[in-house]
PDB file of all heavy atoms in Angstrom:
ATOM      1  N   ARG A   5      11.021   7.752   3.364  1.00 41.00           N
ATOM      2  CA  ARG A   5       9.676   8.287   3.193  1.00 41.00           C
ATOM      3  C   ARG A   5       8.748   7.841   4.334  1.00 41.00           C
ATOM      4  O   ARG A   5       7.575   8.176   4.365  1.00 41.00           O
ATOM      5  CB  ARG A   5       9.128   7.855   1.840  1.00 41.00           C
ATOM      6  CG  ARG A   5       9.963   8.363   0.662  1.00 41.00           C
ATOM      7  CD  ARG A   5       9.439   7.817  -0.658  1.00 41.00           C
ATOM      8  NE  ARG A   5       8.052   8.244  -0.849  1.00 41.00           N
ATOM      9  CZ  ARG A   5       7.309   7.859  -1.888  1.00 41.00           C
ATOM     10  NH1 ARG A   5       7.819   7.022  -2.771  1.00 41.00           N
ATOM     11  NH2 ARG A   5       6.075   8.290  -2.005  1.00 41.00           N
ATOM     12  N   ALA A   6       9.219   6.989   5.220  1.00 38.00           N
ATOM     13  CA  ALA A   6       8.386   6.510   6.322  1.00 38.00           C
ATOM     14  C   ALA A   6       9.064   6.806   7.647  1.00 38.00           C
ATOM     15  O   ALA A   6      10.270   7.045   7.720  1.00 38.00           O
ATOM     16  CB  ALA A   6       8.127   5.017   6.184  1.00 38.00           C
ATOM     17  N   ASP A   7       8.270   6.740   8.703  1.00 37.00           N
ATOM     18  CA  ASP A   7       8.808   6.981  10.032  1.00 37.00           C
ATOM     19  C   ASP A   7       9.232   5.706  10.733  1.00 37.00           C
ATOM     20  O   ASP A   7       9.620   5.712  11.899  1.00 37.00           O
ATOM     21  CB  ASP A   7       7.762   7.693  10.907  1.00 37.00           C
ATOM     22  CG  ASP A   7       7.415   9.041  10.343  1.00 37.00           C
ATOM     23  OD1 ASP A   7       8.309   9.635   9.681  1.00 37.00           O
ATOM     24  OD2 ASP A   7       6.277   9.485  10.534  1.00 37.00           O
ATOM     25  N   VAL A   8       9.094   4.612  10.046  1.00 36.00           N
ATOM     26  CA  VAL A   8       9.377   3.337  10.664  1.00 36.00           C
ATOM     27  C   VAL A   8      10.511   2.672   9.919  1.00 36.00           C
ATOM     28  O   VAL A   8      10.582   2.739   8.701  1.00 36.00           O
ATOM     29  CB  VAL A   8       8.132   2.424  10.650  1.00 36.00           C
ATOM     30  CG1 VAL A   8       8.433   1.107  11.336  1.00 36.00           C
ATOM     31  CG2 VAL A   8       6.975   3.129  11.329  1.00 36.00           C
ATOM     32  N   ALA A   9      11.373   2.018  10.622  1.00 37.00           N
ATOM     33  CA  ALA A   9      12.472   1.281  10.020  1.00 37.00           C
ATOM     34  C   ALA A   9      12.350  -0.170  10.393  1.00 37.00           C
ATOM     35  O   ALA A   9      11.820  -0.511  11.440  1.00 37.00           O
ATOM     36  CB  ALA A   9      13.823   1.821  10.483  1.00 37.00           C
ATOM     37  N   ALA A  10      12.862  -1.023   9.540  1.00 36.00           N
ATOM     38  CA  ALA A  10      12.789  -2.451   9.804  1.00 36.00           C
ATOM     39  C   ALA A  10      13.959  -3.131   9.147  1.00 36.00           C
ATOM     40  O   ALA A  10      14.619  -2.577   8.288  1.00 36.00           O
ATOM     41  CB  ALA A  10      11.474  -3.023   9.281  1.00 36.00           C
ATOM     42  N   VAL A  11      14.167  -4.358   9.620  1.00 38.00           N
ATOM     43  CA  VAL A  11      15.241  -5.166   9.050  1.00 38.00           C
ATOM     44  C   VAL A  11      14.618  -6.409   8.455  1.00 38.00           C
ATOM     45  O   VAL A  11      13.805  -7.058   9.113  1.00 38.00           O
ATOM     46  CB  VAL A  11      16.273  -5.545  10.120  1.00 38.00           C
ATOM     47  CG1 VAL A  11      17.337  -6.454   9.523  1.00 38.00           C
ATOM     48  CG2 VAL A  11      16.890  -4.299  10.706  1.00 38.00           C
ATOM     49  N   VAL A  12      14.981  -6.718   7.238  1.00 40.00           N
ATOM     50  CA  VAL A  12      14.500  -7.922   6.580  1.00 40.00           C
ATOM     51  C   VAL A  12      15.663  -8.857   6.422  1.00 40.00           C
ATOM     52  O   VAL A  12      16.668  -8.501   5.793  1.00 40.00           O
ATOM     53  CB  VAL A  12      13.880  -7.614   5.203  1.00 40.00           C
ATOM     54  CG1 VAL A  12      13.451  -8.915   4.548  1.00 40.00           C
ATOM     55  CG2 VAL A  12      12.698  -6.691   5.387  1.00 40.00           C
ATOM     56  N   LEU A  13      15.557 -10.043   6.969  1.00 37.00           N
ATOM     57  CA  LEU A  13      16.592 -11.043   6.824  1.00 37.00           C
ATOM     58  C   LEU A  13      16.156 -12.007   5.743  1.00 37.00           C
ATOM     59  O   LEU A  13      15.152 -12.686   5.881  1.00 37.00           O
ATOM     60  CB  LEU A  13      16.809 -11.770   8.152  1.00 37.00           C
ATOM     61  CG  LEU A  13      17.186 -10.875   9.329  1.00 37.00           C
ATOM     62  CD1 LEU A  13      17.380 -11.730  10.567  1.00 37.00           C
ATOM     63  CD2 LEU A  13      18.423 -10.073   9.020  1.00 37.00           C
ATOM     64  N   VAL A  14      16.900 -12.065   4.680  1.00 39.00           N
ATOM     65  CA  VAL A  14      16.548 -12.929   3.557  1.00 39.00           C
ATOM     66  C   VAL A  14      17.665 -13.916   3.360  1.00 39.00           C
ATOM     67  O   VAL A  14      18.665 -13.641   2.706  1.00 39.00           O
ATOM     68  CB  VAL A  14      16.349 -12.108   2.250  1.00 39.00           C
ATOM     69  CG1 VAL A  14      15.918 -13.050   1.158  1.00 39.00           C
ATOM     70  CG2 VAL A  14      15.325 -11.034   2.493  1.00 39.00           C
ATOM     71  N   ARG A  15      17.555 -15.057   3.947  1.00 40.00           N
ATOM     72  CA  ARG A  15      18.522 -16.126   3.860  1.00 40.00           C
ATOM     73  C   ARG A  15      19.947 -15.612   3.992  1.00 40.00           C
ATOM     74  O   ARG A  15      20.434 -15.392   5.074  1.00 40.00           O
ATOM     75  CB  ARG A  15      18.349 -16.895   2.554  1.00 40.00           C
ATOM     76  CG  ARG A  15      17.070 -17.719   2.560  1.00 40.00           C
ATOM     77  CD  ARG A  15      16.965 -18.608   1.366  1.00 40.00           C
ATOM     78  NE  ARG A  15      15.766 -19.417   1.432  1.00 40.00           N
ATOM     79  CZ  ARG A  15      15.390 -20.288   0.513  1.00 40.00           C
ATOM     80  NH1 ARG A  15      16.141 -20.459  -0.553  1.00 40.00           N
ATOM     81  NH2 ARG A  15      14.290 -20.983   0.656  1.00 40.00           N
ATOM     82  N   ARG A  16      20.644 -15.389   2.850  1.00 40.00           N
ATOM     83  CA  ARG A  16      22.071 -15.101   2.939  1.00 40.00           C
ATOM     84  C   ARG A  16      22.405 -13.676   2.533  1.00 40.00           C
ATOM     85  O   ARG A  16      23.494 -13.391   2.095  1.00 40.00           O
ATOM     86  CB  ARG A  16      22.839 -16.079   2.063  1.00 40.00           C
ATOM     87  CG  ARG A  16      22.802 -17.510   2.593  1.00 40.00           C
ATOM     88  CD  ARG A  16      23.548 -18.430   1.680  1.00 40.00           C
ATOM     89  NE  ARG A  16      22.959 -18.415   0.334  1.00 40.00           N
ATOM     90  CZ  ARG A  16      23.527 -19.012  -0.715  1.00 40.00           C
ATOM     91  NH1 ARG A  16      24.673 -19.624  -0.552  1.00 40.00           N
ATOM     92  NH2 ARG A  16      22.934 -18.988  -1.892  1.00 40.00           N
ATOM     93  N   THR A  17      21.459 -12.789   2.574  1.00 43.00           N
ATOM     94  CA  THR A  17      21.759 -11.439   2.103  1.00 43.00           C
ATOM     95  C   THR A  17      20.926 -10.411   2.853  1.00 43.00           C
ATOM     96  O   THR A  17      19.979 -10.752   3.561  1.00 43.00           O
ATOM     97  CB  THR A  17      21.498 -11.321   0.600  1.00 43.00           C
ATOM     98  OG1 THR A  17      21.938 -10.032   0.159  1.00 43.00           O
ATOM     99  CG2 THR A  17      20.015 -11.450   0.309  1.00 43.00           C
ATOM    100  N   ASP A  18      21.275  -9.180   2.710  1.00 46.00           N
ATOM    101  CA  ASP A  18      20.523  -8.083   3.299  1.00 46.00           C
ATOM    102  C   ASP A  18      19.856  -7.288   2.210  1.00 46.00           C
ATOM    103  O   ASP A  18      20.392  -7.167   1.120  1.00 46.00           O
ATOM    104  CB  ASP A  18      21.468  -7.155   4.084  1.00 46.00           C
ATOM    105  CG  ASP A  18      22.130  -7.899   5.218  1.00 46.00           C
ATOM    106  OD1 ASP A  18      21.541  -8.915   5.658  1.00 46.00           O
ATOM    107  OD2 ASP A  18      23.221  -7.485   5.630  1.00 46.00           O
ATOM    108  N   CYS A  19      18.710  -6.711   2.521  1.00 48.00           N
ATOM    109  CA  CYS A  19      17.995  -5.903   1.537  1.00 48.00           C
ATOM    110  C   CYS A  19      17.801  -4.512   2.101  1.00 48.00           C
ATOM    111  O   CYS A  19      17.326  -4.361   3.225  1.00 48.00           O
ATOM    112  CB  CYS A  19      16.643  -6.539   1.213  1.00 48.00           C
ATOM    113  SG  CYS A  19      15.695  -5.552   0.036  1.00 48.00           S
ATOM    114  N   TRP A  20      18.199  -3.536   1.375  1.00 46.00           N
ATOM    115  CA  TRP A  20      17.984  -2.160   1.766  1.00 46.00           C
ATOM    116  C   TRP A  20      16.896  -1.565   0.893  1.00 46.00           C
ATOM    117  O   TRP A  20      16.853  -1.832  -0.301  1.00 46.00           O
ATOM    118  CB  TRP A  20      19.254  -1.307   1.565  1.00 46.00           C
ATOM    119  CG  TRP A  20      20.368  -1.643   2.494  1.00 46.00           C
ATOM    120  CD1 TRP A  20      20.395  -2.627   3.414  1.00 46.00           C
ATOM    121  CD2 TRP A  20      21.596  -0.965   2.566  1.00 46.00           C
ATOM    122  NE1 TRP A  20      21.565  -2.645   4.089  1.00 46.00           N
ATOM    123  CE2 TRP A  20      22.349  -1.609   3.578  1.00 46.00           C
ATOM    124  CE3 TRP A  20      22.152   0.127   1.914  1.00 46.00           C
ATOM    125  CZ2 TRP A  20      23.619  -1.217   3.928  1.00 46.00           C
ATOM    126  CZ3 TRP A  20      23.415   0.519   2.267  1.00 46.00           C
ATOM    127  CH2 TRP A  20      24.140  -0.142   3.272  1.00 46.00           C
ATOM    128  N   VAL A  21      16.095  -0.747   1.435  1.00 44.00           N
ATOM    129  CA  VAL A  21      15.093  -0.020   0.654  1.00 44.00           C
ATOM    130  C   VAL A  21      15.390   1.461   0.758  1.00 44.00           C
ATOM    131  O   VAL A  21      15.408   2.006   1.850  1.00 44.00           O
ATOM    132  CB  VAL A  21      13.666  -0.311   1.147  1.00 44.00           C
ATOM    133  CG1 VAL A  21      12.661   0.494   0.343  1.00 44.00           C
ATOM    134  CG2 VAL A  21      13.379  -1.780   1.045  1.00 44.00           C
ATOM    135  N   ARG A  22      15.728   2.051  -0.361  1.00 45.00           N
ATOM    136  CA  ARG A  22      15.994   3.478  -0.392  1.00 45.00           C
ATOM    137  C   ARG A  22      15.219   4.088  -1.552  1.00 45.00           C
ATOM    138  O   ARG A  22      15.555   3.861  -2.708  1.00 45.00           O
ATOM    139  CB  ARG A  22      17.485   3.758  -0.580  1.00 45.00           C
ATOM    140  CG  ARG A  22      18.328   3.381   0.630  1.00 45.00           C
ATOM    141  CD  ARG A  22      19.765   3.752   0.387  1.00 45.00           C
ATOM    142  NE  ARG A  22      20.588   3.405   1.529  1.00 45.00           N
ATOM    143  CZ  ARG A  22      21.912   3.570   1.555  1.00 45.00           C
ATOM    144  NH1 ARG A  22      22.533   4.060   0.493  1.00 45.00           N
ATOM    145  NH2 ARG A  22      22.613   3.242   2.624  1.00 45.00           N
ATOM    146  N   ARG A  23      14.192   4.815  -1.247  1.00 43.00           N
ATOM    147  CA  ARG A  23      13.389   5.483  -2.254  1.00 43.00           C
ATOM    148  C   ARG A  23      12.900   4.524  -3.321  1.00 43.00           C
ATOM    149  O   ARG A  23      12.983   4.776  -4.508  1.00 43.00           O
ATOM    150  CB  ARG A  23      14.183   6.619  -2.899  1.00 43.00           C
ATOM    151  CG  ARG A  23      14.572   7.694  -1.908  1.00 43.00           C
ATOM    152  CD  ARG A  23      15.313   8.809  -2.588  1.00 43.00           C
ATOM    153  NE  ARG A  23      15.724   9.807  -1.617  1.00 43.00           N
ATOM    154  CZ  ARG A  23      16.441  10.882  -1.936  1.00 43.00           C
ATOM    155  NH1 ARG A  23      16.810  11.071  -3.184  1.00 43.00           N
ATOM    156  NH2 ARG A  23      16.770  11.749  -0.996  1.00 43.00           N
ATOM    157  N   GLY A  24      12.473   3.403  -2.900  1.00 45.00           N
ATOM    158  CA  GLY A  24      11.893   2.453  -3.836  1.00 45.00           C
ATOM    159  C   GLY A  24      12.889   1.582  -4.545  1.00 45.00           C
ATOM    160  O   GLY A  24      12.529   0.759  -5.368  1.00 45.00           O
ATOM    161  N   GLY A  25      14.167   1.714  -4.259  1.00 46.00           N
ATOM    162  CA  GLY A  25      15.159   0.883  -4.923  1.00 46.00           C
ATOM    163  C   GLY A  25      15.598  -0.258  -4.045  1.00 46.00           C
ATOM    164  O   GLY A  25      15.625  -0.161  -2.828  1.00 46.00           O
ATOM    165  N   CYS A  26      15.957  -1.360  -4.640  1.00 47.00           N
ATOM    166  CA  CYS A  26      16.350  -2.541  -3.877  1.00 47.00           C
ATOM    167  C   CYS A  26      17.810  -2.825  -4.129  1.00 47.00           C
ATOM    168  O   CYS A  26      18.229  -2.949  -5.282  1.00 47.00           O
ATOM    169  CB  CYS A  26      15.499  -3.742  -4.276  1.00 47.00           C
ATOM    170  SG  CYS A  26      15.914  -5.224  -3.351  1.00 47.00           S
ATOM    171  N   LEU A  27      18.593  -2.914  -3.066  1.00 46.00           N
ATOM    172  CA  LEU A  27      20.002  -3.207  -3.196  1.00 46.00           C
ATOM    173  C   LEU A  27      20.317  -4.461  -2.403  1.00 46.00           C
ATOM    174  O   LEU A  27      19.707  -4.734  -1.376  1.00 46.00           O
ATOM    175  CB  LEU A  27      20.864  -2.049  -2.682  1.00 46.00           C
ATOM    176  CG  LEU A  27      20.612  -0.672  -3.307  1.00 46.00           C
ATOM    177  CD1 LEU A  27      21.438   0.376  -2.620  1.00 46.00           C
ATOM    178  CD2 LEU A  27      20.920  -0.735  -4.798  1.00 46.00           C
ATOM    179  N   ALA A  28      21.266  -5.218  -2.840  1.00 44.00           N
ATOM    180  CA  ALA A  28      21.678  -6.427  -2.126  1.00 44.00           C
ATOM    181  C   ALA A  28      23.173  -6.355  -1.873  1.00 44.00           C
ATOM    182  O   ALA A  28      23.929  -5.923  -2.731  1.00 44.00           O
ATOM    183  CB  ALA A  28      21.345  -7.669  -2.917  1.00 44.00           C
ATOM    184  N   ARG A  29      23.584  -6.787  -0.712  1.00 42.00           N
ATOM    185  CA  ARG A  29      25.000  -6.814  -0.384  1.00 42.00           C
ATOM    186  C   ARG A  29      25.424  -8.251  -0.139  1.00 42.00           C
ATOM    187  O   ARG A  29      24.725  -9.012   0.508  1.00 42.00           O
ATOM    188  CB  ARG A  29      25.277  -5.965   0.848  1.00 42.00           C
ATOM    189  CG  ARG A  29      25.128  -4.474   0.604  1.00 42.00           C
ATOM    190  CD  ARG A  29      25.754  -3.689   1.714  1.00 42.00           C
ATOM    191  NE  ARG A  29      25.141  -3.994   3.013  1.00 42.00           N
ATOM    192  CZ  ARG A  29      25.550  -3.440   4.145  1.00 42.00           C
ATOM    193  NH1 ARG A  29      26.575  -2.614   4.151  1.00 42.00           N
ATOM    194  NH2 ARG A  29      24.957  -3.732   5.264  1.00 42.00           N
ATOM    195  N   ARG A  30      26.617  -8.560  -0.630  1.00 40.00           N
ATOM    196  CA  ARG A  30      27.208  -9.864  -0.398  1.00 40.00           C
ATOM    197  C   ARG A  30      26.250 -10.994  -0.766  1.00 40.00           C
ATOM    198  O   ARG A  30      26.076 -11.938  -0.049  1.00 40.00           O
ATOM    199  CB  ARG A  30      27.659  -9.988   1.054  1.00 40.00           C
ATOM    200  CG  ARG A  30      28.803  -9.072   1.409  1.00 40.00           C
ATOM    201  CD  ARG A  30      29.321  -9.396   2.779  1.00 40.00           C
ATOM    202  NE  ARG A  30      28.305  -9.160   3.813  1.00 40.00           N
ATOM    203  CZ  ARG A  30      28.073  -7.978   4.348  1.00 40.00           C
ATOM    204  NH1 ARG A  30      28.761  -6.928   3.952  1.00 40.00           N
ATOM    205  NH2 ARG A  30      27.165  -7.848   5.293  1.00 40.00           N
ATOM    206  N   GLY A  31      25.632 -10.867  -1.897  1.00 41.00           N
ATOM    207  CA  GLY A  31      24.747 -11.931  -2.328  1.00 41.00           C
ATOM    208  C   GLY A  31      24.183 -11.654  -3.704  1.00 41.00           C
ATOM    209  O   GLY A  31      24.452 -10.629  -4.315  1.00 41.00           O
ATOM    210  N   ASP A  32      23.418 -12.569  -4.216  1.00 42.00           N
ATOM    211  CA  ASP A  32      22.830 -12.439  -5.544  1.00 42.00           C
ATOM    212  C   ASP A  32      21.337 -12.693  -5.485  1.00 42.00           C
ATOM    213  O   ASP A  32      20.743 -13.264  -6.379  1.00 42.00           O
ATOM    214  CB  ASP A  32      23.492 -13.395  -6.527  1.00 42.00           C
ATOM    215  CG  ASP A  32      23.502 -14.814  -6.015  1.00 42.00           C
ATOM    216  OD1 ASP A  32      22.981 -15.024  -4.922  1.00 42.00           O
ATOM    217  OD2 ASP A  32      24.026 -15.690  -6.725  1.00 42.00           O
ATOM    218  N   CYS A  33      20.700 -12.322  -4.362  1.00 43.00           N
ATOM    219  CA  CYS A  33      19.273 -12.562  -4.191  1.00 43.00           C
ATOM    220  C   CYS A  33      18.519 -11.334  -4.646  1.00 43.00           C
ATOM    221  O   CYS A  33      18.233 -10.425  -3.864  1.00 43.00           O
ATOM    222  CB  CYS A  33      18.976 -12.883  -2.722  1.00 43.00           C
ATOM    223  SG  CYS A  33      17.238 -13.193  -2.399  1.00 43.00           S
ATOM    224  N   PHE A  34      18.247 -11.261  -5.940  1.00 42.00           N
ATOM    225  CA  PHE A  34      17.534 -10.128  -6.523  1.00 42.00           C
ATOM    226  C   PHE A  34      16.218 -10.619  -7.095  1.00 42.00           C
ATOM    227  O   PHE A  34      16.101 -11.740  -7.566  1.00 42.00           O
ATOM    228  CB  PHE A  34      18.339  -9.491  -7.667  1.00 42.00           C
ATOM    229  CG  PHE A  34      19.295  -8.451  -7.183  1.00 42.00           C
ATOM    230  CD1 PHE A  34      20.463  -8.818  -6.548  1.00 42.00           C
ATOM    231  CD2 PHE A  34      19.033  -7.113  -7.370  1.00 42.00           C
ATOM    232  CE1 PHE A  34      21.356  -7.867  -6.116  1.00 42.00           C
ATOM    233  CE2 PHE A  34      19.922  -6.166  -6.937  1.00 42.00           C
ATOM    234  CZ  PHE A  34      21.086  -6.539  -6.299  1.00 42.00           C
ATOM    235  N   ALA A  35      15.234  -9.760  -7.077  1.00 42.00           N
ATOM    236  CA  ALA A  35      13.978 -10.101  -7.740  1.00 42.00           C
ATOM    237  C   ALA A  35      14.202 -10.130  -9.237  1.00 42.00           C
ATOM    238  O   ALA A  35      15.085  -9.455  -9.754  1.00 42.00           O
ATOM    239  CB  ALA A  35      12.898  -9.088  -7.379  1.00 42.00           C
ATOM    240  N   GLY A  36      13.360 -10.925  -9.941  1.00 41.00           N
ATOM    241  CA  GLY A  36      13.550 -11.063 -11.380  1.00 41.00           C
ATOM    242  C   GLY A  36      13.440  -9.747 -12.111  1.00 41.00           C
ATOM    243  O   GLY A  36      14.099  -9.508 -13.091  1.00 41.00           O
ATOM    244  N   SER A  37      12.604  -8.868 -11.688  1.00 41.00           N
ATOM    245  CA  SER A  37      12.436  -7.577 -12.340  1.00 41.00           C
ATOM    246  C   SER A  37      13.427  -6.550 -11.850  1.00 41.00           C
ATOM    247  O   SER A  37      13.400  -5.402 -12.273  1.00 41.00           O
ATOM    248  CB  SER A  37      11.019  -7.048 -12.104  1.00 41.00           C
ATOM    249  OG  SER A  37      10.798  -6.895 -10.719  1.00 41.00           O
ATOM    250  N   MET A  38      14.273  -6.932 -10.917  1.00 40.00           N
ATOM    251  CA  MET A  38      15.327  -6.071 -10.381  1.00 40.00           C
ATOM    252  C   MET A  38      14.754  -4.837  -9.695  1.00 40.00           C
ATOM    253  O   MET A  38      15.353  -3.778  -9.680  1.00 40.00           O
ATOM    254  CB  MET A  38      16.288  -5.645 -11.485  1.00 40.00           C
ATOM    255  CG  MET A  38      16.999  -6.811 -12.164  1.00 40.00           C
ATOM    256  SD  MET A  38      17.988  -7.764 -11.024  1.00 40.00           S
ATOM    257  CE  MET A  38      19.249  -6.583 -10.646  1.00 40.00           C
ATOM    258  N   ARG A  39      13.552  -4.969  -9.141  1.00 43.00           N
ATOM    259  CA  ARG A  39      12.949  -3.842  -8.454  1.00 43.00           C
ATOM    260  C   ARG A  39      12.512  -4.246  -7.038  1.00 43.00           C
ATOM    261  O   ARG A  39      12.284  -5.413  -6.753  1.00 43.00           O
ATOM    262  CB  ARG A  39      11.732  -3.310  -9.205  1.00 43.00           C
ATOM    263  CG  ARG A  39      12.076  -2.644 -10.527  1.00 43.00           C
ATOM    264  CD  ARG A  39      10.829  -2.108 -11.161  1.00 43.00           C
ATOM    265  NE  ARG A  39      11.122  -1.470 -12.423  1.00 43.00           N
ATOM    266  CZ  ARG A  39      10.198  -0.921 -13.206  1.00 43.00           C
ATOM    267  NH1 ARG A  39       8.936  -0.948 -12.822  1.00 43.00           N
ATOM    268  NH2 ARG A  39      10.540  -0.360 -14.341  1.00 43.00           N
ATOM    269  N   CYS A  40      12.353  -3.252  -6.199  1.00 43.00           N
ATOM    270  CA  CYS A  40      11.828  -3.487  -4.849  1.00 43.00           C
ATOM    271  C   CYS A  40      10.490  -2.784  -4.753  1.00 43.00           C
ATOM    272  O   CYS A  40      10.386  -1.587  -5.013  1.00 43.00           O
ATOM    273  CB  CYS A  40      12.794  -2.937  -3.810  1.00 43.00           C
ATOM    274  SG  CYS A  40      12.266  -3.234  -2.128  1.00 43.00           S
ATOM    275  N   PHE A  41       9.478  -3.527  -4.498  1.00 41.00           N
ATOM    276  CA  PHE A  41       8.130  -2.979  -4.433  1.00 41.00           C
ATOM    277  C   PHE A  41       7.778  -2.590  -3.001  1.00 41.00           C
ATOM    278  O   PHE A  41       8.063  -3.325  -2.056  1.00 41.00           O
ATOM    279  CB  PHE A  41       7.106  -3.998  -4.936  1.00 41.00           C
ATOM    280  CG  PHE A  41       7.248  -4.267  -6.391  1.00 41.00           C
ATOM    281  CD1 PHE A  41       8.115  -5.260  -6.829  1.00 41.00           C
ATOM    282  CD2 PHE A  41       6.543  -3.542  -7.325  1.00 41.00           C
ATOM    283  CE1 PHE A  41       8.232  -5.531  -8.167  1.00 41.00           C
ATOM    284  CE2 PHE A  41       6.678  -3.806  -8.660  1.00 41.00           C
ATOM    285  CZ  PHE A  41       7.522  -4.797  -9.082  1.00 41.00           C
ATOM    286  N   VAL A  42       7.140  -1.475  -2.824  1.00 38.00           N
ATOM    287  CA  VAL A  42       6.696  -0.981  -1.523  1.00 38.00           C
ATOM    288  C   VAL A  42       5.177  -0.972  -1.490  1.00 38.00           C
ATOM    289  O   VAL A  42       4.537  -0.405  -2.369  1.00 38.00           O
ATOM    290  CB  VAL A  42       7.244   0.416  -1.236  1.00 38.00           C
ATOM    291  CG1 VAL A  42       6.735   0.928   0.108  1.00 38.00           C
ATOM    292  CG2 VAL A  42       8.749   0.398  -1.275  1.00 38.00           C
ATOM    293  N   GLY A  43       4.589  -1.628  -0.526  1.00 40.00           N
ATOM    294  CA  GLY A  43       3.132  -1.670  -0.450  1.00 40.00           C
ATOM    295  C   GLY A  43       2.669  -1.742   1.002  1.00 40.00           C
ATOM    296  O   GLY A  43       3.395  -1.424   1.927  1.00 40.00           O
ATOM    297  N   SER A  44       1.467  -2.176   1.197  1.00 38.00           N
ATOM    298  CA  SER A  44       0.890  -2.237   2.541  1.00 38.00           C
ATOM    299  C   SER A  44       0.844  -3.665   3.077  1.00 38.00           C
ATOM    300  O   SER A  44      -0.017  -4.017   3.862  1.00 38.00           O
ATOM    301  CB  SER A  44      -0.515  -1.651   2.512  1.00 38.00           C
ATOM    302  OG  SER A  44      -1.325  -2.386   1.609  1.00 38.00           O
ATOM    303  N   MET A  45       1.747  -4.495   2.634  1.00 39.00           N
ATOM    304  CA  MET A  45       1.783  -5.876   3.080  1.00 39.00           C
ATOM    305  C   MET A  45       3.117  -6.162   3.740  1.00 39.00           C
ATOM    306  O   MET A  45       4.030  -5.344   3.716  1.00 39.00           O
ATOM    307  CB  MET A  45       1.573  -6.811   1.882  1.00 39.00           C
ATOM    308  CG  MET A  45       0.218  -6.652   1.197  1.00 39.00           C
ATOM    309  SD  MET A  45       0.108  -7.670  -0.258  1.00 39.00           S
ATOM    310  CE  MET A  45       0.294  -9.273   0.479  1.00 39.00           C
ATOM    311  N   ARG A  46       3.191  -7.362   4.270  1.00 41.00           N
ATOM    312  CA  ARG A  46       4.448  -7.774   4.863  1.00 41.00           C
ATOM    313  C   ARG A  46       5.519  -7.912   3.779  1.00 41.00           C
ATOM    314  O   ARG A  46       5.212  -8.096   2.616  1.00 41.00           O
ATOM    315  CB  ARG A  46       4.272  -9.107   5.575  1.00 41.00           C
ATOM    316  CG  ARG A  46       3.518  -9.017   6.887  1.00 41.00           C
ATOM    317  CD  ARG A  46       3.279 -10.409   7.419  1.00 41.00           C
ATOM    318  NE  ARG A  46       2.693 -10.365   8.730  1.00 41.00           N
ATOM    319  CZ  ARG A  46       3.377 -10.356   9.854  1.00 41.00           C
ATOM    320  NH1 ARG A  46       4.685 -10.402   9.812  1.00 41.00           N
ATOM    321  NH2 ARG A  46       2.768 -10.314  11.029  1.00 41.00           N
ATOM    322  N   CYS A  47       6.738  -7.900   4.231  1.00 43.00           N
ATOM    323  CA  CYS A  47       7.845  -8.100   3.296  1.00 43.00           C
ATOM    324  C   CYS A  47       7.885  -9.571   2.936  1.00 43.00           C
ATOM    325  O   CYS A  47       8.078 -10.423   3.798  1.00 43.00           O
ATOM    326  CB  CYS A  47       9.162  -7.656   3.926  1.00 43.00           C
ATOM    327  SG  CYS A  47      10.536  -7.785   2.773  1.00 43.00           S
TER     328      CYS A  47
END
């Protein structure tokens, strides 16, 4: 939904943002609500 792409490095895992969903690969670093929030702030 945006024209800009970025990479977020979160300790031992990667986070993908696809249409508001948050996925984690090779790790268990999930938010407690199991959601990925998109806003106008830094990650």
Side-chain angles (χ1 to χ4, degrees):
R5 299 176 60 183
D7 297 331
V8 182
V11 177
V12 178
L13 302 181
V14 183
R15 289 187 178 179
R16 291 179 300 171
T17 186
D18 298 336
C19 178
W20 291 3
V21 178
R22 291 183 180 177
R23 298 182 182 178
C26 181
L27 304 175
R29 290 195 300 179
R30 293 188 297 276
D32 52 1
C33 180
F34 273 75
S37 60
M38 299 299 292
R39 292 182 180 179
C40 182
F41 293 88
V42 178
S44 60
M45 297 175 62
R46 286 174 174 269
C47 184

